[in-house]
Amino acid sequence: MNKIMWFALLVLLLAVAAASCLKRNALHPRLRANASVTHEVPMAFCNGLVRLGYDPRSDGTPAYYDNRTGELLVDCAGLLTNLPPEQRPVCPPPEWTCDK
């Protein structure tokens, strides 16, 4: 590759890395301190909430947190258990309106 293509590739990689860091820095400090929340964990923000661990290409189940407090709102892994329907969590929570 020529120098311009290498430079463009480097700029693209740096932009992706910076975006990942910015997203992680937008998390509530309690969520950022969680060892399981790494740069590889898919995350999305909506109406003061954060969804962690959801990737439509895999079968990972999301958890929804209040990003203002760091409190867990609902862990959707309960949907995969043998709980009766009335005991299963509502996923996504009603406050999450970005994917509807």
Side-chain angles (χ1 to χ4, degrees), residues 26-32 37 44-52 62-75 93 95-96:
L27 286 173
H28 188 277
R30 287 175 64 186
L31 298 173
R32 253 192 336 262
V37 179
F45 298 88
C46 179
N47 299 330
L49 305 183
V50 61
R51 177 182 64 203
L52 297 175
Y64 293 86
Y65 295 85
D66 185 327
N67 202 38
R68 295 170 288 249
T69 64
E71 295 293 321
L72 176 67
L73 296 175
V74 63
D75 184 353
E95 303 90 349
W96 187 271

Side-chain angles (χ1 to χ4, degrees), residues 9-90:
L9 180 61
L10 177 64
V11 169
L12 177 63
L13 291 174
L14 289 173
V16 169
S20 174
C21 288
L22 288 174
K23 264 187 154 180
R24 183 165 159 61
N25 288 338
L27 286 173
H28 188 277
R30 287 175 64 186
L31 298 173
R32 253 192 336 262
N34 185 337
S36 67
V37 179
T38 65
H39 293 284
E40 292 82 29
V41 172
M43 64 182 77
F45 298 88
C46 179
N47 299 330
L49 305 183
V50 61
R51 177 182 64 203
L52 297 175
Y54 175 71
D55 185 349
R57 298 167 294 175
S58 70
D59 55 359
T61 57
Y64 293 86
Y65 295 85
D66 185 327
N67 202 38
R68 295 170 288 249
T69 64
E71 295 293 321
L72 176 67
L73 296 175
V74 63
D75 184 353
C76 298
L79 292 174
L80 301 178
T81 66
N82 293 326
L83 290 173
E86 65 273 4
Q87 293 179 356
R88 292 181 189 157
V90 176

